[in-house]
Amino acid sequence: MGSSADQAIDDLLERYLGLVDQYTKLRAELAAVQQSVFQHLARANFTSDRGVRYGRDQYDERMQASRRVAIARATETEAPTFAVTEEQQQQQQPVPEAVVETEEKPQDKSSEDAGDNPAPSPSPARNPIRWFGVLVPQALRDAQSQSVRAVEELIPRLVSVEAEMARAEIEVRRARKRRAKAISGGTRQEATNEPQSVSASS
């Protein structure tokens, strides 16, 4: 019993150490990506024209979440997993009045055939880099791509590994408690058997 319990604990600890190694590598990779983002952003601000600076000062009411977090709930055998997906904008962008007036006439017949309440087709969320203009520096695009990689790939993996580490720690504690109970139960059984053997010999 002791050898099997020890082997189970050793397997859990080996798995935990593997998760620690993954976590350490992901943290280092995330730090490198964040450093690259700040370097690209500084390069874009250094090469910008007309004193334009790229940062949070350019944000306005158009700021919306373009990514959503999807969480798979934990089960008895698996830890929760996290994923980041791109948000699809359900509401269409408002069309200027001048465009509406020129497009209403040819669409009268088709709108009657389509029905009173046509379902709007989802349109992808706008790229926030367009807020800074059309001809943005390549360094700013590189900073955006690195940020997207960090949000969509590295951070979900990092959080998922951290959840697995927490679950592995719980399993190790439970295995150690089961081993301690088995050892204490065995010693008690030996203690109860010793007086019987002595009385029988006497």
Side-chain angles (χ1 to χ4, degrees), residues 17-39:
L17 291 177
L19 293 173
V20 171
D21 182 64
Q22 293 182 23
Y23 183 83
T24 305
K25 291 180 179 178
L26 288 173
R27 285 295 299 265
E29 190 174 358
L30 179 61
V33 169
Q34 290 177 333
Q35 183 179 4
S36 176
V37 169
F38 288 120
Q39 288 178 353

Side-chain angles (χ1 to χ4, degrees), residues 90-171:
Q90 298 296 333
Q91 297 180 355
Q92 293 181 346
Q93 296 293 334
V95 183
E97 295 181 358
V99 179
V100 173
E101 293 177 358
T102 57
E103 293 183 354
E104 280 181 351
K105 293 182 180 179
Q107 290 181 355
D108 289 340
K109 295 182 180 180
S110 61
S111 61
E112 294 178 358
D113 297 337
D116 296 334
N117 296 320
S121 59
S123 59
R126 295 182 60 184
N127 189 352
I129 204 171
R130 301 288 181 85
W131 299 352
F132 304 101
V134 180
L135 301 177
V136 295
Q138 181 61 36
L140 187 62
R141 298 183 186 275
D142 295 336
Q144 184 191 31
S145 62
Q146 292 292 328
S147 299
V148 170
R149 177 171 175 263
V151 171
E152 288 187 348
E153 179 183 350
L154 297 179
I155 293 179
R157 289 172 55 193
L158 187 63
V159 178
S160 299
V161 171
E162 187 176 4
E164 292 182 7
M165 289 172 58
R167 187 175 185 84
E169 291 176 358
I170 295 174
E171 292 178 356

Side-chain angles (χ1 to χ4, degrees), residues 38-115:
F38 288 120
Q39 288 178 353
H40 288 305
L41 188 59
R43 189 177 296 109
N45 286 323
F46 182 76
T47 59
S48 62
D49 298 332
R50 301 183 303 276
V52 177
R53 292 191 60 82
Y54 304 104
R56 291 177 294 181
D57 297 337
Q58 305 293 335
Y59 297 168
D60 53 20
E61 66 275 4
R62 294 173 296 177
M63 169 64 70
Q64 294 180 357
S66 59
R67 301 293 189 277
R68 296 290 181 182
V69 179
I71 304 175
R73 294 185 178 182
T75 61
E76 295 181 357
T77 58
E78 295 181 357
T81 57
F82 300 83
V84 176
T85 58
E86 187 173 1
E87 177 72 3
Q88 296 294 328
Q89 190 174 0
Q90 298 296 333
Q91 297 180 355
Q92 293 181 346
Q93 296 293 334
V95 183
E97 295 181 358
V99 179
V100 173
E101 293 177 358
T102 57
E103 293 183 354
E104 280 181 351
K105 293 182 180 179
Q107 290 181 355
D108 289 340
K109 295 182 180 180
S110 61
S111 61
E112 294 178 358
D113 297 337

